[in-house]
Amino acid sequence: MQDVNYIKHLNAVFNQFSKDSRLNPTHISLYIALFQLWNLNRFLEEFFINRDEVMQLSKIGSKSTYHRCIKELNHWKYIVYFPSHNPYRGSKIKMLKFGTSSGQVVGHNNSQIETSTGQALVPIYKHIQTIKNINSNKQKNFKNSISEDFKNENKQKRACTERSRGIPNMDNLKTTKNKNYNEPL
């Protein structure tokens, strides 16, 4: 098992991707699928892959595109690819390391935290502030929702009263309430 900092590695490889004009989205998608499998294999020096699984993870539909891209990633020194040629045994992959300095400095201003394991740390106050913002937004949305429901209820009562007085039929299909169809019933 290699000592790999997940975030550092991805940041460094994304930086490299941005500089490399040879890459297209298929190469990047394939690399990310391989990185995910490497992570699932606990960052072993080398690990075996199943072509169908990698194609599914990377959303590559063509075997020829898959083979072209994996060979190019090998040639361009993003991975080391050992083709199997055996239908019962997958090919072997070695992921080359990116962003492998010792320890990681996280934060900004005077809130930098360095770790010996390379683990990224985020100060707790950032999490607390995020939770406070979420709760504040939920309360505002709840109050606005109640206010809207109250207004709509009063409009419906007025419409019923007007209909009972013989006022011509109002268009019942129109509504002033903005509905969010992403919320469950």
Side-chain angles (χ1 to χ4, degrees):
M1 182 167 72
Q2 295 186 47
D3 185 26
V4 175
N5 182 307
Y6 190 99
I7 294 170
K8 261 189 162 179
H9 180 92
L10 281 180
N11 284 337
V13 82
F14 287 150
N15 185 38
Q16 185 62 36
F17 287 166
S18 70
K19 297 175 188 174
D20 193 341
S21 61
R22 301 170 296 186
L23 296 170
N24 66 42
T26 308
H27 292 103
I28 295 169
S29 177
L30 177 57
Y31 183 89
I32 296 303
L34 293 171
F35 181 81
Q36 183 179 3
L37 292 171
W38 188 33
N39 180 35
L40 290 173
N41 282 281
R42 304 217 182 265
F43 300 109
L44 289 174
E45 185 76 26
E46 297 173 346
F47 61 99
F48 290 95
I49 59 169
N50 174 290
R51 182 191 65 222
D52 292 335
E53 180 184 20
V54 175
M55 287 178 65
Q56 185 178 15
L57 283 171
S58 60
K59 307 297 186 210
I60 296 174
S62 161
K63 289 179 186 176
S64 61
T65 300
Y66 167 81
H67 286 292
R68 177 181 52 82
C69 288
I70 201 163
K71 288 175 185 175
E72 289 172 341
L73 287 174
N74 176 69
H75 181 70
W76 297 334
K77 307 285 189 247
Y78 286 96
I79 64 171
V80 179
Y81 173 56
F82 304 98
S84 165
H85 306 295
N86 180 341
Y88 300 106
R89 183 174 175 178
S91 297
K92 196 170 16 173
I93 297 291
K94 177 179 180 179
M95 302 291 286
L96 300 178
K97 285 184 168 184
F98 289 83
T100 57
S101 64
S102 62
Q104 179 169 350
V105 177
V106 180
H108 58 342
N109 300 336
N110 295 327
S111 62
Q112 295 183 346
I113 301 168
E114 187 169 341
T115 66
S116 59
T117 63
Q119 177 64 44
L121 298 178
V122 178
I124 189 70
Y125 67 84
K126 297 259 186 203
H127 294 291
I128 293 170
Q129 188 59 44
T130 302
I131 292 168
K132 284 181 180 176
N133 290 342
I134 291 170
N135 288 338
S136 175
N137 287 339
K138 283 183 179 179
Q139 283 181 343
K140 286 178 187 173
N141 290 341
F142 180 72
K143 288 177 185 174
N144 290 341
S145 174
I146 289 175
S147 176
E148 282 294 317
D149 288 344
F150 184 75
K151 288 178 188 175
N152 288 335
E153 188 176 327
N154 284 341
K155 285 181 184 177
Q156 288 173 349
K157 286 179 182 176
R158 278 196 305 261
C160 286
T161 303
E162 290 171 356
R163 277 196 297 274
S164 67
R165 290 186 195 152
I167 297 177
N169 208 3
M170 298 176 69
D171 189 355
N172 292 329
L173 295 178
K174 291 183 181 176
T175 180
T176 58
K177 183 174 183 179
N178 292 329
K179 294 184 180 181
N180 182 354
Y181 293 99
N182 292 325
E183 293 180 8
L185 297 174

